[in-house]
Amino acid sequence: VEWRFGGYKILLGCDLIIFKSSSQPDSPFSSLKLLPRGEVPTRSKRLDVWLENVMCDIPSVVWGSPPAQSRSKRGLEDVRIQKTADLPLCETPDEEGEEFSPESTLDHGRRLLEFLKDECVKDGGTYCLCREGSGRPARLLDMSPDVEEAPQQGVRSSMALPLASLCFRMAQQGNGEDQRRLWKKGLQLLEPFRKEKAHSS
């Protein structure tokens, strides 16, 4: 998906399921999202769907629940259609305070893209953006081939293990220089743990 956002043109990977309905001539395409029976979409779920629909220019979403296992019929149950523009709003009084601001969300995205533009300066570089929990600042990990050998500051934390695991999984699927670089990066992330264990023994 090619998304144009302000002055940016971004190529995004997308696994969105699109539902086509002939009963909606003014808006024939919707994204399709499944929910457990009897549940309403949470604020986080609505935000995710809103972002996907905005990026893919989809005007509505179809919410539905799979049929109970005891039933043999196919298809979806509790189907309802919601406009993308209505996703930031609460639907019931029980959801009071669960709204989100489209303007604020897009502003955060704009600032994030400006940060990445300023920090990701290597041609053909590879970077990993990660954050520990909702209250911590995001960290940008440079995984480019010519990154310095010394471990990067700020990586030693609960993020080091999952990032190292990611590097090892990517290395298993790679080959040649990329594979060697990913193995090396994973070991580099684990180095503080090895030193701690050596000092404690």
Side-chain angles (χ1 to χ4, degrees):
V1 175
E2 184 179 280
W3 183 40
R4 295 181 181 272
F5 179 49
Y8 298 96
K9 184 170 69 172
I10 308 165
L11 188 64
L12 302 169
C14 180
D15 58 358
L16 195 63
I17 299 175
I18 303 299
F19 177 83
K20 184 176 181 180
S21 173
S22 57
S23 64
Q24 301 181 79
D26 58 331
S27 177
F29 293 99
S30 301
S31 57
L32 179 62
K33 296 294 179 179
L34 299 181
L35 287 172
R37 288 174 55 81
E39 289 193 13
V40 297
T42 62
R43 178 183 183 276
S44 176
K45 185 70 172 178
R46 288 186 288 111
L47 177 58
D48 285 344
V49 174
W50 180 81
L51 282 170
E52 287 181 330
N53 281 11
V54 168
M55 291 176 180
C56 298
D57 195 23
I58 303 297
S60 59
V61 56
V62 173
W63 302 101
S65 302
Q69 293 183 355
S70 59
R71 302 181 184 180
S72 59
K73 66 178 182 179
R74 297 181 178 181
L76 298 175
E77 297 181 349
D78 302 328
V79 174
R80 62 188 181 88
I81 299 173
Q82 187 175 15
K83 292 182 179 179
T84 299
D86 293 337
L87 286 170
L89 308 175
C90 295
E91 295 186 275
T92 66
D94 295 338
E95 295 179 287
E96 185 177 353
E98 290 295 298
E99 306 95 339
F100 64 87
S101 167
E103 294 79 12
S104 177
T105 302
L106 292 176
D107 182 59
H108 280 296
R110 189 175 294 106
R111 283 186 284 164
L112 176 60
L113 289 174
E114 290 172 355
F115 166 76
L116 294 175
K117 181 181 178 181
D118 292 339
E119 297 296 326
C120 302
V121 296
K122 296 179 181 177
D123 291 338
T126 303
Y127 299 87
C128 181
L129 183 68
C130 55
R131 185 173 68 174
E132 298 178 70
S134 59
R136 301 289 185 89
R139 302 184 187 279
L140 189 66
L141 178 65
D142 187 348
M143 301 177 69
S144 304
D146 57 345
V147 68
E148 294 183 3
E149 300 297 320
Q152 298 185 26
Q153 297 297 321
V155 174
R156 169 62 177 96
S157 64
S158 60
M159 290 304 302
L161 289 176
L163 283 172
S165 178
L166 174 63
C167 289
F168 294 147
R169 289 199 302 270
M170 292 172 63
Q172 290 177 337
Q173 300 174 5
N175 53 62
E177 181 61 24
D178 285 342
Q179 186 179 47
R180 187 194 69 82
R181 173 171 56 85
L182 288 166
W183 281 114
K184 192 172 185 178
K185 174 62 67 175
L187 293 172
Q188 181 182 355
L189 289 167
L190 295 178
E191 183 63 17
F193 293 93
R194 187 190 68 80
K195 290 182 177 179
E196 283 184 7
K197 186 175 182 180
H199 290 159
S200 61
S201 61

